Structures are given as C-alpha cells and as structure tokens.
C-alpha cells in the first residue's frame, strides 16, 4: 500500500467536508463516487479490448490501471466517512485477506 494513500485521502475528505458538508447526502455521494470510478475502469477495459466494434480499441492497459487507481482513491476517501480509524481498519482487512490467502495456499 502506498504510504501516501491514507494521508492524501484524508486531505481530500477534509476538503470535501469543507466544501460540501458532512451530512448523509454527502456520505452517499462519496460512496457513489466509488461506483462511478469502477464504471470508468470497466469502460476503459471495454475500450482496451475493442469490444465496441463501432469504436474499436480506444484505451490501453495504462488507462485501465489509471482508472483502477481512481477506484482505490475514491474508496479510501469514502472510507473516511464511515470510520474514524481508516488506517487501522484497512490494515486489519489486509491482514485478514492475507491470512485467508495463506490458508488457501493459492
């Protein structure tokens, strides 16, 4: 995990709090932003594969990777709206996933 992910996401969340407030609507918007970014990643993948014959190939693997990074940032920003301890919560989740991975010997 990038060492700057959580501090930058915290700064983005704070800026959004200042600009938009912290009510239920804003929290919902941050959660929907994750879905929007995931849709953009999917669209980039469709463009990378040339699935739309009218458009052919419109994106690269780098475009898909960039969109996936946007998903990660948006999710991390949204995480700040649901917990006061996003760093420890994310670390705990990663630890759980790592243990599960080790248990399945993939």
């Amino acid at each position: 995990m990038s060492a700057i992910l959580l501090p930058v996401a915290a700064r983005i969340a704070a800026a959004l709090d200042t600009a938009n407030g912290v009510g239920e609507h804003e929290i919902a918007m941050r959660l929907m932003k994750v879905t929007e970014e995931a849709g953009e990643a999917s669209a980039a993948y469709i463009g990378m594969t040339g699935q739309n014959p009218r458009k052919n190939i419109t994106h690269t693997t780098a475009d898909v990777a960039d969109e996936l990074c946007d998903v990660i940032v948006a999710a991390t920003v949204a995480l700040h709206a649901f917990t006061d301890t996003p760093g420890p919560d994310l670390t705990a989740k990663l630890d759980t996933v790592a243990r599960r991975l080790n248990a399945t010997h993939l």
Side-chain angles (χ1 to χ4, degrees), residues 28-67:
M29 297 306 292
R30 293 179 196 185
L31 192 57
M32 285 189 277
K33 183 68 175 173
V34 177
T35 303
E36 177 196 10
E37 296 296 350
E40 290 177 12
S42 295
Y45 184 79
I46 289 168
M48 183 193 80
T49 62
Q51 183 65 30
N52 184 338
R54 185 175 51 82
K55 295 181 180 179
N56 295 313
I57 294 175
T58 58
H59 291 76
T60 66
T61 55
D63 294 326
V64 177
D66 184 62
E67 295 297 345

Side-chain angles (χ1 to χ4, degrees), residues 2-106:
S2 170
I4 65 170
L5 174 62
L6 287 166
V8 170
R11 288 178 52 206
I12 294 168
L16 290 171
D17 289 350
T18 299
N20 300 335
V22 293
E24 288 183 28
H25 176 74
E26 180 60 21
I27 290 170
M29 297 306 292
R30 293 179 196 185
L31 192 57
M32 285 189 277
K33 183 68 175 173
V34 177
T35 303
E36 177 196 10
E37 296 296 350
E40 290 177 12
S42 295
Y45 184 79
I46 289 168
M48 183 193 80
T49 62
Q51 183 65 30
N52 184 338
R54 185 175 51 82
K55 295 181 180 179
N56 295 313
I57 294 175
T58 58
H59 291 76
T60 66
T61 55
D63 294 326
V64 177
D66 184 62
E67 295 297 345
L68 289 170
C69 289
D70 286 346
V71 173
I72 293 165
V73 171
T76 307
V77 170
L79 180 61
H80 282 77
F82 292 93
T83 180
D84 292 330
T85 56
D89 291 350
L90 181 56
T91 298
K93 175 55 80 172
L94 291 169
D95 289 343
T96 299
V97 171
R99 279 193 307 277
R100 203 176 309 140
L101 181 63
N102 290 337
T104 59
H105 304 291
L106 292 178

